[in-house]
Amino acid sequence: MKLTGEEDEDTLRSEAKEIVLRQLSMMDRTRHELMRALTKRNVPENIAEQTVDRYEEHGLVNDEAFANRFVATRMASKPSSRRGLAAALARKGIERELIETALEQVGDEEEDLAALELAQNKARMTQGLDRQVRYRRIYGALARRGFSPPQCRRAVEQVLGED
C-alpha cells in the first residue's frame, strides 16, 4: 500500500525511529552506522538525517564517546595497535580528529605491551612447530593487527627467545 503526503512522511519517520532504536538496543552505534542502516532500508536521506540528529541531541548517539569507549574496550579485550584501532574506527565512520583524540589514551608502552601479549598468545598456539614457521605466524598475526615491523620483530624475538 502506497501512502501519500503527510501520512507517508509520518510513517517513514516512525519506521526510521524504530530502526534507530533497534540498532541502538543491540549496541552503541556511530552516526555513520545508523545512517547506513537507514539508507539500506530505503529511508529518505532528509528523514534519516533528522532522525539521527534527534538522537544526537539527546546524547544517545555520540561519536566522540563511542570512539573513546571503543579504544578502551578493544585494548582490554583484543589488543591492537593504534593504527589498527584507527582503521577500525574509520570503517565505523568516525572523523579523523575524533580518532586521534581517542587514540591519545594508548601510549607507546601500552601498545608494545599489547604486541607482546598477542605474540605470547600466538606462541602458545604454535608450540611444537618449527621456529621459522612460528616466527612467520606470530609476526603475521601482529602485522594484521596493525603493529609496525619493528614492534612485530621485537615482540616475536622476545617471545621466541623465551622458548
Side-chain angles (χ1 to χ4, degrees), residues 79 114-126 138 145 159:
L116 182 59
E117 182 182 321
L118 178 58
Q120 289 168 335
N121 290 339
K122 293 298 177 183
R124 280 192 294 278
M125 294 168 47
T126 60
I138 298 167
R145 291 266 181 96
V159 167

Side-chain angles (χ1 to χ4, degrees), residues 3-117:
L3 304 174
T4 57
E6 195 175 306
E7 188 177 356
D8 186 31
E9 191 169 314
D10 289 344
T11 302
L12 287 171
R13 287 184 194 288
S14 178
E15 287 175 12
K17 181 181 173 183
E18 287 178 33
I19 292 167
V20 169
L21 287 173
R22 195 169 37 252
Q23 291 288 311
L24 291 174
S25 71
M26 290 186 275
M27 67 171 57
D28 281 347
R29 303 284 181 173
T30 64
R31 178 180 182 82
H32 176 76
E33 290 173 317
L34 292 172
M35 289 297 296
R36 191 173 54 213
L38 290 167
T39 55
K40 183 179 175 182
R41 288 168 181 85
N42 299 319
V43 174
E45 190 172 336
N46 66 327
I47 292 175
E49 289 274 346
Q50 291 168 1
T51 304
V52 175
D53 286 347
R54 191 172 324 123
Y55 285 95
E56 273 185 327
E57 289 168 11
H58 293 294
L60 294 172
V61 177
N62 183 330
D63 284 356
E64 182 177 8
F66 178 94
N68 289 327
R69 279 190 308 274
F70 182 88
V71 168
T73 303
R74 182 63 64 94
M75 287 305 288
S77 65
K78 188 177 178 185
S80 297
S81 66
R82 286 184 290 241
R83 187 172 56 178
L85 292 167
L89 288 169
R91 283 190 301 271
K92 291 183 173 294
I94 302 291
E95 294 176 12
R96 184 176 197 80
E97 63 190 35
L98 295 178
I99 292 172
E100 291 172 8
T101 302
L103 292 177
E104 288 174 3
Q105 59 187 298
V106 180
D108 291 340
E109 201 172 290
E110 190 175 8
E111 189 175 30
D112 289 341
L113 188 60
L116 182 59
E117 182 182 321

